[in-house]
């Protein structure tokens, strides 16, 4: 009799865990999609709960409210590159820090170009200055910095080069060019529509990276 009771009771905790994981994922994706589509105007507990199909109290229970969701979304936007760019990006061809940054810069550019949603979120993020936007941007920046540090491994930049500043400028420029291509198809007279246009951008990125890191 005891064995029968144990067999009946054991699956329940697993079911609850599974349901929680599914609900957390539904809440997260609902919040992320809502931000991308409507910005903060439509970003609220009730709207997220409706889209996720759950009780709004679960948002507070699992994420602590909107701030916790923003932190999770910001980290996801930074970690998004891990899904697009494999950890081993260079193999035997990455010999120097310059090799690595050239490779990562071009891969990052291609990854951004292939994901219109992330471009929209970044464009919206940098166009507004509110506490919520700053929280989202800071979380994304922290995650991106950790990714760059992890990819760097044991490689070091040449002496005298301020790598964090140089890399920040480089990646910000790439982001801006990709966003401009989505919005207007050009930047400062530079066409950004065809693959040939982007081949020219890639060639210039290589020259810039080599000019900094050799």
């Amino acid at each position: 009799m005891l064995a029968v009771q144990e067999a009946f009771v054991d699956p329940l905790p697993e079911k609850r865990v599974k349901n929680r994981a599914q609900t957390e994922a539904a809440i997260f994706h609902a919040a992320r999609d809502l931000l991308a589509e409507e910005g903060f105007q439509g970003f609220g507990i009730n709207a997220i709960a409706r889209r996720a199909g759950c009780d709004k109290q679960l948002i507070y229970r699992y994420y602590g409210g909107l701030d916790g969701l923003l932190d999770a979304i910001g980290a996801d936007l930074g970690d998004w590159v891990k899904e697009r760019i494999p950890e081993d990006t260079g193999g035997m061809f990455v010999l120097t820090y310059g090799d690595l940054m050239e490779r990562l810069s071009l891969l990052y550019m291609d990854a951004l170009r292939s994901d219109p949603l992330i471009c929209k979120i970044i464009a919206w993020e940098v166009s507004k200055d509110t506490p919520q936007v700053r929280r989202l941007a800071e979380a994304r920046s922290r995650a991106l910095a950790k990714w760059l540090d992890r990819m760097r491994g044991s490689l070091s930049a040449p002496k005298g080069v301020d790598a964090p500043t140089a890399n920040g400028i480089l990646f910000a420029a790439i982001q801006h060019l990709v966003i401009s291509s989505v919005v207007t198809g050009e930047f400062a007279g530079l066409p950004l529509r065809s693959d040939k246009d982007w081949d020219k951008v890639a060639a210039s990125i290589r020259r810039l990276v080599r000019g900094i890191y050799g």
Side-chain angles (χ1 to χ4, degrees):
M1 181 66 177
L2 180 60
V4 172
Q5 289 178 333
E6 289 177 348
F8 181 76
V9 172
D10 282 348
L12 292 180
E14 293 181 3
K15 185 176 181 180
R16 284 196 294 268
V17 170
K18 182 178 180 181
N19 287 343
R20 170 168 179 163
Q22 291 175 340
T23 302
E24 285 185 5
I27 291 170
F28 174 82
H29 289 296
R32 189 181 188 276
D33 292 346
L34 200 60
L35 268 179
E37 294 170 12
E38 302 184 23
F40 275 107
Q41 288 184 337
F43 190 73
I45 292 293
N46 291 332
I48 295 168
R50 281 195 300 272
R51 179 169 291 212
C54 70
D55 190 301
K56 66 181 181 181
Q57 293 302 321
L58 294 177
I59 298 175
Y60 292 103
R61 181 183 302 173
Y62 298 154
Y63 289 97
L66 291 181
D67 284 348
L69 267 173
L70 285 175
D71 288 342
I73 293 170
D76 180 71
L77 291 178
D79 288 343
W80 153 89
V81 290
K82 292 193 298 186
E83 301 174 4
R84 299 279 180 164
I85 301 176
E87 291 287 331
D88 181 12
T89 61
M92 62 182 293
F93 299 105
V94 173
L95 303 176
T96 68
Y97 191 88
D99 294 335
L100 177 67
M101 291 314 303
E102 177 183 320
R103 181 75 172 142
L104 291 184
S105 298
L106 296 177
L107 286 170
Y108 186 67
M109 182 182 74
D110 290 341
L112 282 178
R113 289 184 62 208
S114 68
D115 194 334
L117 177 59
I118 198 74
C119 291
K120 184 176 182 180
I121 292 175
I122 292 173
W124 166 78
E125 174 188 305
V126 299
S127 67
K128 299 180 183 295
D129 184 22
T130 67
Q132 295 94 337
V133 171
R134 286 194 294 272
R135 189 181 189 100
L136 182 64
E138 288 168 2
R140 189 176 69 84
S141 295
R142 285 194 300 269
L144 185 58
K146 289 180 181 178
W147 172 77
L148 282 171
D149 188 60
R150 184 173 60 254
M151 298 298 283
R152 177 178 63 83
S154 61
L155 293 174
S156 299
K159 290 183 179 180
V161 176
D162 184 352
T165 299
N167 293 339
I169 293 171
L170 180 63
F171 276 73
I174 291 170
Q175 285 187 174
H176 194 78
L177 288 176
V178 175
I179 292 170
S180 294
S181 74
V182 174
V183 176
T184 65
E186 63 177 34
F187 176 74
L190 173 68
L192 298 168
R193 296 180 178 86
S194 68
D195 288 340
K196 186 177 180 180
D197 295 335
W198 284 102
D199 287 343
K200 292 180 180 179
V201 173
S204 293
I205 288 174
R206 291 188 183 96
R207 293 191 187 99
L208 286 170
V209 171
R210 293 307 175 178
I212 297 170
Y213 297 117

